[in-house]
Amino acid sequence: QLQGWLCASVSSTKPGKLLELLHTLSMSRGATEYCSLELLTILASELLAQSQVLGGAGLALALQAFGRLRVLQRHGGHVDGGAVSQEGKLPRLVAALLRSLLVLERRLSLSDAAKAAHFCALCAMDSPLLTEAERAEAKDGLARLLERLSWEQKRWS
């Protein structure tokens, strides 16, 4: 019942609160196994819609939380005749969140760039739920983020 209420009220919630909810879910014991696919999909969709408001820091936190929840490893999804199944929506939305973050790559703090690089390396590059093109985007994004982190380290050394 609680997840049903959450799903119904997500669209009227401020982006910062959505991010806080996602973070809390990701830190909860057992959330990886028991968190509703519907709730995670709605959260991802709303966060994507509010990506301009969230900025790089918010998007990095969202990806970190989705990584903790192992959404690119645990939920199945497939494409039938061009239509993405309900289960396949979450990986597409998470890939779109990563794409939105990579657009802001040069404006990310070092901490946020490191969170994004971690997500790319551990969650996105090898996920069987992402398309080949999405995995390639994650690989390219990781390379760009690591280059930026390396450049920043040299600059401060």
Side-chain angles (χ1 to χ4, degrees), residues 32 39 61-62 67 77 117 120 123 141:
T32 302
L39 176 60
L61 285 173
C120 289
C123 302

Side-chain angles (χ1 to χ4, degrees), residues 4-134:
W5 176 81
L6 287 171
C7 289
S9 62
V10 160
S11 62
S12 63
T13 306
K14 293 180 180 180
K17 293 293 183 186
L18 294 177
L19 198 54
E20 189 178 321
L21 172 62
L22 180 61
H23 175 74
T24 301
L25 287 172
S26 75
M27 299 301 288
S28 300
R29 179 172 256 159
T32 302
E33 294 83 20
Y34 301 110
C35 199
S36 160
L37 173 63
E38 180 186 10
L39 176 60
L40 293 175
T41 302
I42 291 169
L43 280 171
S45 179
E46 289 298 320
L47 290 170
L48 183 60
Q50 298 294 328
S51 61
Q52 293 292 324
V53 175
L54 291 171
L59 289 169
L61 285 173
L63 290 173
Q64 182 182 44
F66 282 121
R68 276 193 207 112
L69 290 166
R70 299 172 39 209
V71 297
L72 295 181
Q73 286 79 31
R74 100 183 164 130
H75 294 299
H78 59 277
V79 179
D80 287 326
V84 179
S85 69
Q86 175 63 27
E87 289 181 335
K89 288 181 183 179
L90 185 55
R92 303 288 79 76
L93 290 167
V94 173
L97 285 168
L98 176 59
R99 216 172 290 118
S100 294
L101 178 122
L102 292 173
V103 168
L104 304 171
E105 163 204 343
R106 297 209 183 272
R107 291 183 252 156
L108 294 175
S109 71
L110 291 179
S111 173
D112 294 333
K115 288 174 190 167
H118 183 265
F119 177 82
C120 289
L122 294 182
C123 302
M125 284 181 38
D126 295 328
S127 174
L129 301 180
L130 295 180
T131 65
E132 190 64 40
E134 290 166 336

